[in-house]
Amino acid sequence: MKPNIKNPTNELRSNSTIILDTNIWLQRVDPSYTSLDYEDPKNSTLAIIEDTITEILSKNITIYVLPTIISEIVNVTERHNFRVWCKENGKSSAETDYKREYRNNIDSTFLDDNKYIWQSIDEEILGIDSVQFVNFTDQTYLRECIEFCNAYPTSDFNDVLIVKAAKRLGASVFSQDKDLEKLDIDITLYTVPE
């Protein structure tokens, strides 16, 4: 069974539960990432996403956050900041060693960038009253995720962790990741049509 795909506008119910995918949180945590990676054609989509986040926060909706989402936010933001750093320093990101030249350079902006990322995560995600951090470490959950990936080898493991957690928690998912629409799992998936 495929996800039940809905537009979040006027669909979100008070006292429900939801998982916001990494691509949704990135808009809130690091606006520079969003503004550089999403150009004019998607501005209306971005406005709807921001309005939806505001609506979620205004209602008594529990927002579950998984460690994989926090990890993805840090990784995506660090990689984005690397590309910006390369551009500012006249370097090609394809030819520059991320680990040696950017991450391991004490004088680089990596430390400041990383500090900003974690402050943003603390303030814009973990500091929200309705956010609950959940971490399933039981073997049954992990086996289910691995078996699902084995049955659908093209599925992204992080996506599977998110949808399986949503299923287990009885939560919906808000995401702009088209891959989630293809997964064979019975959940409600909110996505903004582009």
Side-chain angles (χ1 to χ4, degrees):
M1 174 176 268
K2 298 285 185 203
N4 179 12
I5 302 168
K6 295 182 177 183
N7 183 328
T9 308
N10 302 318
E11 285 284 334
L12 297 165
R13 306 281 183 252
S14 294
N15 299 316
S16 59
T17 58
I18 196 165
I19 296 175
L20 306 185
D21 198 0
T22 304
N23 53 51
I24 303 299
W25 283 120
L26 277 169
Q27 180 172 337
R28 188 168 182 84
V29 170
D30 190 357
S32 71
Y33 173 83
T34 304
S35 64
L36 289 174
D37 285 26
Y38 293 86
E39 297 293 329
D40 274 345
K42 296 189 181 189
N43 276 343
S44 61
T45 301
L46 293 175
I48 294 170
I49 290 171
E50 190 54 45
D51 290 347
T52 302
I53 292 170
T54 301
E55 181 183 353
I56 289 168
L57 295 174
S58 71
K59 294 181 175 182
N60 191 20
I61 296 175
T62 300
I63 305 168
Y64 294 118
V65 176
L66 285 76
T68 186
I69 292 171
I70 300 296
S71 176
E72 280 188 296
I73 290 169
V74 171
N75 186 47
V76 167
T77 307
E78 283 176 353
R79 295 294 180 163
H80 168 73
N81 290 343
F82 167 66
R83 290 189 300 275
V84 170
W85 177 83
C86 285
K87 188 175 182 179
E88 289 172 352
N89 289 283
K91 298 175 180 246
S92 161
S93 59
E95 297 173 6
T96 305
D97 189 312
Y98 168 80
K99 293 177 183 174
R100 289 194 177 117
E101 292 185 54
Y102 176 69
R103 190 184 68 187
N104 290 342
N105 183 348
I106 301 288
D107 296 329
S108 79
T109 57
F110 177 77
L111 295 175
D112 289 337
D113 287 347
N114 211 282
K115 180 180 176 185
Y116 170 77
I117 293 166
W118 284 105
Q119 283 176 332
S120 295
I121 289 169
D122 281 344
E123 293 168 10
E124 301 296 336
I125 299 177
L126 300 177
I128 297 171
D129 290 339
S130 58
V131 164
Q132 288 186 21
F133 189 78
V134 292
N135 187 13
F136 294 119
T137 57
D138 61 274
Q139 293 300 309
T140 303
Y141 169 71
L142 295 174
R143 278 193 188 102
E144 286 174 7
C145 292
I146 291 168
E147 287 170 6
F148 191 92
C149 282
N150 289 339
Y152 302 93
T154 60
S155 57
D156 179 79
F157 191 66
N158 284 345
D159 291 346
V160 172
L161 291 171
I162 291 167
V163 297
K164 285 292 193 177
K167 182 75 173 165
R168 183 178 266 204
L169 294 163
S172 56
V173 176
F174 181 25
S175 177
Q176 288 302 104
D177 187 342
K178 297 295 179 201
D179 291 340
L180 295 184
E181 295 177 18
K182 300 172 191 166
L183 296 178
D184 188 19
I185 189 161
D186 183 22
I187 61 166
T188 298
L189 174 63
Y190 292 106
T191 189
V192 177
E194 295 183 17

